[in-house]
Amino acid sequence: MNIKDFFGENVKDLDKNQARDLGWLIVERLHVEPIDWAVTALTDKQASALKKDILRLRSGEPLGYILGTVPFVNCEIKVTPDVLIPRSETEQLCDIIINEFEGVPTRILDVCTGSGCIAVALAKNLDAEVFATDKSESAVSVARQNALANFAQVDFVVGDMFERVTGTFDVIVCNPPYLDENEMAGLPASVRDFEPNSALYGGQDGLDFYRILATEAPKYLNSGGIMYLEVGDFQADKVAEILSADFDCEIAADYYGFDRFVIARSRK
Ligand code: GLN
């Protein structure tokens, strides 16, 4: 059977997103682009391996966990069920920081590092000393592997927010858990059943971690230091308000025009 017919047969009872993911999966597993599918035969071994993947897709499991890695900035990030799958907004947050600090020696702290995607991408693309922390030991173990695999130098510590952080930084970056109770209740099954809850839930109103950042971050920022935060839909104004005592805040939109980043400059 050629790949095109295999795809046609197996795509039938998948939903639209899963169908797109099946296309990706085939390209990633077989390294054959769709234009060549009709003229490329599938071995029995390839077909049965793909069938196993398709069962996982059909169960709602995100493609990132099935493939085990996701591309992020110019890095390849390993993901396991212990870490959130990096999102494209987070890549954009990294792009903003990379553009701002290119060629400038910088000390950076990534709080709630999870897979380490932010820390690794910044260490790889900037002339920076990068530190990162997460309260989950298993997440930090994945993050360490990601730094090694991407030849990025990052110092990791396991701790809750600033618990194990020492020293001061020019930049603090954080993509904390920020979903509120309602959003948690309405999560699609592919997120709810597969991604770690602790990486998603930000307390009743979703803003708990920003409150901690507002009170703790000033102690760890150098004079004129900047905090780069990813925020949830419709949270940017509230987060800027929470930070307003010690920071001048600027709100930035993602590629879709949604306000998803707060850039907070320390007034001290
Ligand atoms: N910093 C990681 C990421 O951006 C993890 C974020 C989280 O667990 N909330 O993907």
Side-chain angles (χ1 to χ4, degrees):
M1 183 186 286
N2 69 42
I3 302 177
K4 184 168 182 271
D5 292 341
F6 178 88
F7 180 81
E9 208 164 88
N10 285 280
V11 79
K12 282 180 201 146
D13 40 83
L14 298 181
D15 69 27
K16 213 170 126 203
N17 289 332
Q18 291 169 335
R20 186 206 52 210
D21 286 350
L22 177 58
W24 270 112
L25 190 99
I26 291 175
V27 171
E28 287 292 320
R29 291 288 197 219
L30 306 181
H31 306 289
V32 181
E33 294 297 327
I35 195 163
D36 295 321
W37 284 4
V39 293
T40 310
L42 202 62
T43 65
D44 289 348
K45 205 169 151 208
Q46 287 171 327
S48 70
L50 282 172
K51 286 271 188 197
K52 284 192 195 133
D53 289 335
I54 292 167
L55 280 180
R56 292 173 70 179
L57 262 190
R58 202 175 283 151
S59 78
E61 186 170 353
L63 183 63
Y65 293 137
I66 298 174
L67 290 173
T69 63
V70 293
F72 186 84
V73 191
N74 53 356
C75 304
E76 198 64 25
I77 297 294
K78 170 180 167 163
V79 290
T80 71
D82 289 315
V83 301
L84 195 77
I85 297 174
R87 306 296 205 266
S88 66
E89 300 87 291
T90 313
E91 282 190 295
Q92 206 183 330
L93 181 66
C94 291
D95 286 343
I96 294 172
I97 300 170
I98 291 166
N99 283 332
E100 189 66 36
F101 291 93
E102 213 157 17
V104 184
T106 315
R107 267 175 73 88
I108 300 177
L109 171 68
D110 175 26
V111 182
C112 305
T113 197
S115 65
C117 58
I118 299 176
V120 169
L122 296 181
K124 191 163 168 175
N125 289 285
L126 288 174
D127 178 15
E129 269 185 276
V130 182
F131 300 79
T133 183
D134 198 286
K135 71 173 181 186
S136 156
E137 209 169 323
S138 32
V140 169
S141 146
V142 173
R144 282 203 169 99
Q145 294 171 47
N146 279 323
L148 275 177
N150 288 283
F151 306 101
Q153 170 68 40
V154 179
D155 273 339
F156 293 100
V157 285
V158 178
D160 193 358
M161 298 295 281
F162 294 91
E163 188 185 24
R164 298 273 315 281
V165 174
T166 52
T168 58
F169 304 88
D170 307 305
V171 169
I172 293 177
V173 54
C174 186
N175 173 28
Y178 52 62
L179 298 185
D180 66 22
E181 251 173 25
N182 285 336
E183 289 169 312
M184 289 300 290
L187 280 179
S190 62
V191 178
R192 186 193 62 220
D193 298 343
F194 293 94
E195 299 207 73
N197 256 29
S198 58
L200 298 164
Y201 183 52
Q204 199 178 3
D205 67 355
L207 301 169
D208 283 2
F209 290 86
Y210 302 106
R211 292 193 187 91
I212 298 170
L213 288 162
T215 51
E216 294 299 313
K219 301 176 201 162
Y220 296 91
L221 275 173
N222 290 332
S223 162
I226 310 184
M227 196 151 56
Y228 289 84
L229 306 177
E230 182 174 323
V231 301
D233 288 333
F234 314 113
Q235 286 179 335
D237 287 332
K238 290 177 208 149
V239 171
E241 169 67 32
I242 289 170
L243 294 167
S244 60
D246 291 306
F247 295 90
D248 291 323
C249 291
E250 188 190 318
I251 290 170
D254 65 14
Y255 296 128
Y256 306 101
F258 296 107
D259 289 339
R260 296 299 300 275
F261 312 110
V262 174
I263 301 165
R265 273 160 225 277
S266 167
R267 260 189 238 113
K268 114 184 140 170

